[in-house]
Each structure stands twice: as C-alpha cells, then as structure tokens.
Amino acid sequence: MSANVQLQRRPDESALWDHHKAFDVERVRADFPILNERVHGRALIYLDNAATTQKPEAVIEAISHYYRHDNANIHRGVHLLSQRATDAYESARAAVRRFLNAQSSSEIVFVSGATVEINLVAQTYGRTHIVSGDQVLITSMEHHSNIVPWQILCEEKGAKLRVAPVNDRGELLLEKLEELLSSRTKIVSIAHVSNALGTVNPIRQIIRMAHSRGIPVIVDGAQAAPHLQIDVQDLDCDFYAFSGHKIYGPTGIGVLYGKAELLEEMPPYQGGGDMISSVTFEKTIYNKVPHKFEAGTPDISGVIGLGAAIAYIDSLGIASIAEHEDELLSYATAQLEKIPGIRLVGTAREKVGALSFVMEGVHPHDIGTILDQEGIAVRTGHHCAQPIMDRFGIPATVRASFGLYNTKAEIDSLAAGIEKVKEILV
Ligand SMILES: Cc1ncc(COP(=O)(O)O)c(C=O)c1O
C-alpha cells in the first residue's frame, strides 16, 4: 500500500510516527508508477533527479481529481467549482508557506519555475535598485538561469557582474566572496546547492555577510528544496526560488518566496488579469501581494499538484529523506572512487544529491548512451553551468543524481554499467 494512501486512511499521530521511524524505500517506490517502466528491456534505474524528479501517485491523482471534479478558473467566480478550485489553489499556497516556514502566505508567489523567479527578481527588484556602476554578485557554480538574467540586467543598466570563485573541490572561497562585497554591490544571488557539483553552499553565513553591509540575497534553491529542510526565516534570505518539478511535483510551476516588505515595494513583473485591483485608462491600481505577481490564469492544476507533492514529502519527513539520500550519495561516492580511470568532479565536504564524474579518454555522452542501454538514466553535458565546467577545464560531465526512491542496488548497477563502458570503450 502506498505511503500516502495509508496516511490518508489513518491520519493520526501514530501513523505519522510509524512512517518517520523507518524509511522503507521499497514502500516508497511503490508510490511511483513510472518506476515500473522498462527501458531497452531493462528495469528503469532513474538517476536524473537533479533534472527532474518522478511523480508519486498522490500528485498524479491530485491533478486528475482537479480536472475531473473541480476545474474552473480561480479568484473571480462565485460558482461552486470556482470556489473549490480557489480553495485548492490557496491551500497549496498555505502548504508551501509551511514547507518554507515563511511568515505569511502573501510571501509565496507562484510562477512557472526557478528560471522565471530569478528573472522576476532581476527585472523588478533589480531594475528599480540597480544603476550604472553598481554590481551584482553571483558565484562561478551558478546555473545559467542564475547568470543570464543578471547579465541582461547589468547590460541594460551599465552595471557589473562579479563572480565569487571556488576551490578545486568545488567549494566557495568565502574570503574571496567577502572581498567582492562592496558599497556598489546591490544584490547577491547564489545557489543553495550546485546542480553540477552537488556542493551545499554556506548560505546562512553568506546572507549574514551580505546583510551586515545592507545587501539583499536571493537564494536559488532549485537543487536544495528536494533534499534539505528549508527555513526562510532562520536563513533570513530576502528571496528563495525553487521549482515544483524537482520536488516530485509537476512541471511548469515553481515558487518565489520574498519578504513581504520587498514584494510590496517591487513593481509588477507582468500586467494582466488578477494582478490588478482596479483598472481605468488613466490609472491601474495593482492587487496586493502575492497576486500582484501572478498575472493571468495561473497553472492551477500545477499548484494543486505541487501542494500534493509537499504533502507527500511531509508524509515521509524531509529529515528521513535527507538521511536516506545522504547514505546513497556516500555509497555512490565510495563505489565510483574505486573504479580506476573515474574522476569525481566536485568533492566538496558538504554535498547533496548529485555526483558528477568524468572517465579518462571517454566522452560523457558515450557513457550516457551505453548506460541508457542498461536502463540507467543519467545526465551528460554541461548541466546548464558552462562556467563551472570551464573552471574545471572540462566540457562536460556525467551526472548521477539521487532521489528519495533510489537504492544502493541501483548504485551497484551504475558501477557495473560504468565497468561495461570501460570494457567497450577504453
Ligand atoms: C541550480 C538550478 N537553478 C535553476 C534551475 C532552473 O530550474 P527550472 O528549469 O525549473 O526553471 C535549475 C534547473 O536545473 C537548477 O539546477
């Protein structure tokens, strides 16, 4: 029986406690129908979770239920279906508030994903606060979606993008980062976890460094939200961005957390329906936050699916998930380190989720293609993080990334698959 179904039937304290006690990966796997797929005649081994995660039955069912029973546009309708859809949509916002420990649901903005969230901050907060000669500070391990929006802004404003470097393990050089914080720095935008290396950045410390100089911080949490407990009040970040599809929710929906006072003073990102309180040809009064940033009909089913994904994660407990995934990452690291000719890229002391590697004399795409024949899905390429590839002097890596349903047996298969690649190509 699936974990979520059992919790729905016995929503009492003891059921929750039972579930938290032991992380039963086989029981968890039964919640994900796609894990029964066969690939080239083999059982699917899905190790591409940093790109997107698979969806549990509870998420698929929540979306299907919405379209079968509640589908209507939200916020403006007096009829029952519209009220039901609005309730489901706003309940999901409340679930996200709890997930991030934000102070208020008005600090939770739904847009399509981390990419749009960072663009939103660059084009609203950034555009109104950054002038010629100012600086934006990022790091050399950022995903392109936390580089290009700032480059566009800097180009438009005549501002400068500054980049904090990393050491050979792929850890941020904090003293260098601190040296780059100046009176001209107007925002720091930094990944909580690197998608290419798996490095966990000490964002609490960085936020404190920036705040002591009055500089706000946006955290790109796309790779952290699936693996770590996030508490935006404890972090004291000004913005936190993540995507639903990387936390077992649907594609096309994501969350921008912003401190209420910042969201309130920011201009809207896009104009249209729902983001207004009143419109005349002379003047438009904008809606209150977060609706000011949700122009047009939103991805209602996506938000509902995301709410179900968060309920699913809560039913397992993020601490239990993190413990399971830590074990997987340590095991995978040990297994791959044993294979001659394999070099891990990104060996930070604090890592989660992903293991990047290269094999001497073999292109990562060839490794990925042979692993695919074994039913093993990994990602190969620059992982939308070309500057960090350049830092390590390589064009690409193979990246195996882990989710809550992966097992040590799957990692053994990965190691065996890599040995097979060596037999064929080396
Ligand atoms: C660290 C990081 N930031 C941002 C993104 C962009 O997320 P999305 O494509 O869901 O907008 C990703 C996606 O891989 C990522 O790994």
Side-chain angles (χ1 to χ4, degrees), residues 15-332:
L16 279 168
W17 174 242
D18 282 344
H19 214 68
H20 279 248
K21 255 193 316 196
F23 189 86
D24 182 346
V25 71
E26 288 309 323
R27 204 164 127 201
V28 166
R29 288 177 69 80
D31 294 337
F32 291 81
I34 207 169
L35 297 180
N36 296 320
E37 285 295 302
R38 294 189 76 77
V39 172
H40 306 301
R42 312 239 176 185
L44 167 67
I45 296 179
Y46 187 76
L47 300 177
D48 194 18
N49 294 285
T52 199
T53 50
Q54 300 302 346
K55 318 307 171 198
E57 193 72 58
V59 168
I60 299 167
E61 177 51 30
I63 296 167
S64 164
H65 184 279
Y66 164 70
Y67 280 124
R68 285 175 192 280
H69 300 286
D70 300 331
N71 179 49
N73 212 330
I74 54 167
H75 291 150
R76 293 176 292 270
V78 292
H79 63 82
L80 184 65
L81 289 193
S82 177
Q83 286 171 23
R84 285 218 298 255
T86 304
D87 284 351
Y89 184 88
E90 292 301 333
S91 301
R93 198 190 306 274
V96 174
R97 186 206 67 73
R98 288 192 298 276
F99 184 66
L100 295 178
N101 192 32
Q103 217 163 47
S104 156
S105 291
S106 66
E107 298 178 314
I108 305 299
V109 179
F110 288 126
V111 284
S112 68
T115 302
V116 172
E117 289 144 27
I118 298 167
N119 276 280
L120 186 159
V121 177
Q123 289 301 315
T124 57
Y125 183 89
R127 245 186 173 173
T128 44
H129 286 84
I130 288 167
V131 296
S132 176
D134 283 344
Q135 295 175 5
V136 173
L137 179 60
I138 60 170
T139 81
S140 58
M141 70 176 86
E142 300 307 321
H143 188 279
H144 295 163
S145 61
N146 197 25
I147 302 173
V148 185
W150 302 112
Q151 279 175 327
I152 293 170
L153 178 71
C154 286
E155 211 162 289
E156 184 186 318
K157 295 287 185 174
K160 208 169 164 50
L161 191 66
R162 308 300 300 270
V163 183
V166 300
N167 65 20
D168 290 341
R169 284 195 294 263
E171 295 166 326
L172 267 180
L173 292 167
L174 278 188
E175 60 292 356
K176 298 274 186 217
L177 184 147
E178 190 158 24
E179 279 168 24
L180 288 169
L181 292 171
S182 78
S183 59
R184 303 296 340 227
T185 312
K186 288 295 148 62
I187 193 158
V188 173
S189 192
I190 182 171
H192 195 166
V193 172
S194 152
N195 69 310
L197 308 176
T199 307
V200 182
N201 286 318
I203 54 164
R204 235 164 146 262
Q205 207 176 332
I206 294 165
I207 290 164
R208 259 185 270 135
M209 276 179 189
H211 282 181
S212 70
R213 294 161 176 84
I215 306 164
V217 179
I218 167 164
V219 180
D220 171 0
Q223 296 295 340
H227 307 295
L228 302 173
Q229 176 103 52
I230 313 294
D231 183 332
V232 291
Q233 291 190 69
D234 179 56
L235 290 172
D236 197 27
C237 54
D238 300 281
F239 301 99
Y240 197 97
F242 74 91
S243 296
H245 70 97
K246 294 190 199 283
I247 65 158
Y248 310 98
T251 51
I253 191 67
V255 171
L256 175 69
Y257 158 82
K259 282 183 179 164
E261 66 268 25
L262 291 174
L263 292 179
E264 270 155 22
E265 63 126 67
M266 279 154 55
Y269 182 41
Q270 292 173 325
D274 230 29
M275 53 77 70
I276 55 88
S277 146
S278 74
V279 178
T280 65
F281 286 121
E282 288 68 42
K283 185 163 177 61
T284 290
I285 313 281
Y286 302 132
N287 205 341
K288 52 188 191 317
V289 295
H291 309 293
K292 183 171 77 177
F293 295 104
E294 294 177 3
T297 301
D299 183 356
I300 305 166
S301 67
V303 167
I304 290 167
L306 175 59
I310 287 175
Y312 182 77
I313 289 172
D314 284 348
S315 78
L316 300 176
I318 189 81
S320 306
I321 294 170
E323 197 182 322
H324 173 70
E325 290 172 344
D326 264 2
E327 255 180 53
L328 290 177
L329 185 61
S330 304
Y331 185 71

Side-chain angles (χ1 to χ4, degrees), residues 383-400:
H383 316 295
C384 296
Q386 274 185 307
I388 197 68
M389 296 291 120
D390 292 345
R391 161 65 180 77
F392 283 95
I394 48 177
T397 72
V398 182
R399 182 186 68 188

